């Protein structure tokens, strides 16, 4: 279990390293319904967002759907495979209750 947790953290760090400031700003916007504004104001990196999502139990090593959804929405399809997802899998209708506000 501890090894899984370490691998999960390493995966999150890898994703964090691939994302730029604009990507983090987009993630912050997408998470406004999930993370209180006062916490979002202190975000400096994607890892900060990931930690807030973990703290609120929206993200964990067994359930990375929300992170995959966030990456898909900011068009980082290349990172989906790290989580075991594909662009096609994310485009398919999901029976899950998606927790993101969709601005289309």
């Amino acid at each position: 279990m501890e090894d899984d947790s370490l691998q999960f953290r390493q995966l999150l760090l890898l994703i964090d390293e691939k994302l730029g400031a604009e990507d983090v700003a987009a993630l912050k916007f997408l998470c406004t319904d999930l993370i209180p504004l006062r916490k979002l104001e202190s975000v400096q990196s994607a890892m900060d967002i990931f930690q807030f999502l973990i703290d609120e139990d929206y993200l964990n090593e067994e359930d990375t759907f929300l992170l995959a959804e966030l990456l898909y929405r900011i068009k980082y399809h290349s990172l989906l495979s790290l989580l075991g997802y594909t662009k096609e899998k994310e485009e398919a209708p999901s029976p899950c209750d998606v927790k993101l506000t969709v601005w289309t």
Side-chain angles (χ1 to χ4, degrees):
M1 180 81 170
E2 193 170 308
D3 286 341
D4 289 343
S5 182
L6 180 59
Q7 287 178 334
F8 180 63
R9 292 285 180 175
Q10 289 173 331
L11 175 64
L12 295 179
L13 283 170
L14 177 64
I15 293 170
D16 176 68
E17 290 172 2
K18 303 276 185 192
L19 300 176
E22 288 181 13
D23 303 315
V24 173
L27 290 175
K28 286 169 65 170
F29 174 76
L30 290 171
C31 291
T32 55
D33 288 345
L34 304 174
I35 301 171
L37 185 58
R38 62 180 164 64
K39 287 185 178 182
L40 283 174
E41 289 172 349
S42 69
V43 165
Q44 300 294 315
S45 69
M47 204 57 203
D48 293 338
I49 294 172
F50 302 158
Q51 187 58 55
F52 289 135
L53 294 174
I54 289 168
D55 291 346
E56 296 298 322
D57 204 30
Y58 289 119
L59 176 63
N60 60 60
E61 56 227 45
E62 288 88 29
D63 184 7
T64 58
F65 177 79
L66 180 62
L67 179 53
E69 181 73 14
L70 290 167
L71 292 173
Y72 177 80
R73 298 238 183 232
I74 66 169
K75 302 194 183 319
Y76 251 93
H77 304 144
S78 61
L79 296 177
L80 292 174
S81 63
L82 296 174
L83 300 170
Y85 289 86
T86 63
K87 179 182 175 197
E88 292 74 23
K89 188 175 178 179
E90 278 298 300
E91 287 174 342
S94 172
C96 299
D97 180 28
V98 178
K99 299 174 178 98
L100 296 177
T101 300
V102 181
W103 300 95
T104 56

